[in-house]
Amino acid sequence: MTAEEEEEQFVLQMAGALKEKQLVRHVYAALQAASCPLVEGLYLQEADSMLQLLCTPSQHRTDILAWICSSINPNLANSKTIAMGFKGPDVLTKEMAVLGQELMLCKADDLDLIRGNVSPYSQLRFLEQLLTLIPGCKESAVHRADQEMLLNELFAAENLPNFTQMLKPTLDPWPAHIKALHMANKSSCKPSREGAADVTALLQLTQSTLEQLKSECEFLSSDAQSPGVLSPSSLRVAACDLQVLMATFCRVFETDLRSYCSRDPPSFSTETDVFQRIHQLLLAFITELEMLKEVSEASVAMNEDVNKLQTQPRYWSRGDNRNLPDQLEELTRRIRDFSSLLHS
């Protein structure tokens, strides 16, 4: 292995170790936030001690993992008691692996992960994902981390002079450049007499101009006249409106209406007898169609009556109930009999 490869591997190892230390602090803080009874009273400060606790195979580590799993699935607590009492810890290890598979965090045969025989980073990631499933653990851990971050920021080295000044408060005067700037702002805010005189003259000129305009516009005077009297101001306004309307009409007439007004009036054709003849023929045709319709309706009605005579029976002079063909046949038979009697 070359020197560059060794240096690169060393850098990667250092980065991995730093990442593991940050992660183990986060997991340990999450356990404290979740009020895990197995980490109470430990007061670990070093990351190596936390790694020794959480990533080294031991009964304490197994109990912590079992507590996390039982917090997620309370049914696992009874299984833990039965397994530890009768079948040994392997059954509990398998059940925790099955729970991890159900949560899609590991496989059912990842027993080395449950026992702590894999890399610390994999174990810490597994513990971190399990802790996020405990209700209220994530919010408490974030709140605790925020508090620790705030305390670290407050007690940083650059903030110590501020705490010293808080213990011995004194009212220091403003710096010289701030005081000079403040005085300059005050002096600039004072109005000068020359500027005030110019503003007064401008206001007087504006007032006189407004009064002159008011005198020229008599219709703006406050003396209201009666509606029945035609005042010169009203005539002036009406004339102005009429002038505007006439100018508008002239422009519209020149652009749009003149071409229509200069046309000759339309001439009507004198050959109206053709249209009259066509109208008469159409009326006659309509009359014939109506007559044909009536004839057709009468024919249909007559056909129905004939069909009724031929098909429906009726009573004849002698009280016989026969239809027309049967009655005709009966009459024919009688005539034949009568003729035979005459010839005999």
Side-chain angles (χ1 to χ4, degrees), residues 73-118:
N73 185 9
N75 296 327
L76 195 66
N78 299 328
S79 300
K80 175 185 175 183
T81 304
I82 296 173
M84 296 300 292
F86 298 98
K87 299 182 181 179
D90 290 338
V91 177
L92 179 62
T93 302
K94 293 179 180 179
E95 290 186 358
M96 288 190 290
V98 170
L99 178 62
Q101 183 184 15
E102 292 176 355
L103 298 175
M104 294 186 293
L105 300 179
C106 66
K107 297 180 180 179
D109 55 353
D110 288 342
L111 301 180
D112 290 337
L113 177 63
I114 305 299
R115 296 190 184 101
N117 295 327
V118 295

Side-chain angles (χ1 to χ4, degrees), residues 1-247:
M1 183 180 295
T2 62
E4 294 181 356
E5 292 178 352
E6 292 179 355
E7 184 178 358
E8 184 178 357
Q9 186 177 3
F10 178 73
V11 171
L12 292 176
Q13 290 177 356
M14 291 295 294
L18 181 61
K19 195 171 185 179
E20 288 177 359
K21 290 182 179 180
Q22 293 176 352
L23 187 57
V24 74
R25 289 183 183 276
H26 177 69
V27 173
Y28 186 76
L31 285 171
Q32 289 181 332
S35 301
C36 178
L38 299 172
V39 297
E40 291 182 358
L42 295 181
Y43 304 108
L44 301 180
Q45 300 294 332
E46 300 295 332
D48 295 335
S49 302
M50 299 176 187
L51 284 171
Q52 182 72 22
L53 173 67
L54 299 176
C55 300
T56 303
S58 63
Q59 185 61 39
H60 198 179
R61 178 192 174 280
T62 304
D63 293 340
I64 292 174
L65 184 58
W67 179 86
I68 295 173
C69 294
S70 61
S71 299
I72 298 173
N73 185 9
N75 296 327
L76 195 66
N78 299 328
S79 300
K80 175 185 175 183
T81 304
I82 296 173
M84 296 300 292
F86 298 98
K87 299 182 181 179
D90 290 338
V91 177
L92 179 62
T93 302
K94 293 179 180 179
E95 290 186 358
M96 288 190 290
V98 170
L99 178 62
Q101 183 184 15
E102 292 176 355
L103 298 175
M104 294 186 293
L105 300 179
C106 66
K107 297 180 180 179
D109 55 353
D110 288 342
L111 301 180
D112 290 337
L113 177 63
I114 305 299
R115 296 190 184 101
N117 295 327
V118 295
S119 63
Y121 181 76
S122 300
Q123 298 182 53
L124 293 173
R125 286 291 299 165
F126 180 66
L127 292 174
E128 182 186 21
Q129 292 172 349
L130 285 176
L131 287 170
T132 56
L133 300 176
I134 298 178
C137 176
K138 186 175 181 180
E139 290 78 3
S140 301
V142 172
H143 183 64
R144 185 183 183 93
D146 293 341
Q147 290 180 348
E148 292 180 356
M149 187 181 299
L150 178 60
L151 290 175
N152 292 332
E153 185 177 356
L154 287 176
F155 289 99
E158 60 270 14
N159 293 328
L160 291 179
N162 297 329
F163 284 104
T164 305
Q165 186 177 2
M166 290 174 62
L167 294 175
K168 297 179 181 180
T170 57
L171 182 59
D172 296 332
W174 285 356
H177 64 285
I178 299 295
K179 187 181 295 184
L181 180 61
H182 183 64
M183 295 301 294
N185 290 336
K186 282 187 175 182
S187 61
S188 62
C189 293
K190 293 181 179 179
S192 60
R193 294 183 178 180
E194 296 179 357
D198 295 339
V199 172
T200 303
L202 181 60
L203 288 175
Q204 291 178 356
L205 179 60
T206 305
Q207 183 68 23
S208 61
T209 305
L210 289 175
E211 291 178 355
Q212 183 179 359
L213 290 174
K214 185 177 180 180
S215 62
E216 293 178 359
C217 300
E218 297 179 358
F219 58 90
L220 295 178
S221 60
S222 59
D223 298 335
Q225 299 180 0
S226 60
V229 179
L230 190 60
S231 62
S233 59
S234 300
L235 286 175
R236 190 179 297 110
V237 173
C240 292
D241 293 342
L242 180 61
Q243 182 181 4
V244 172
L245 292 175
M246 290 299 295

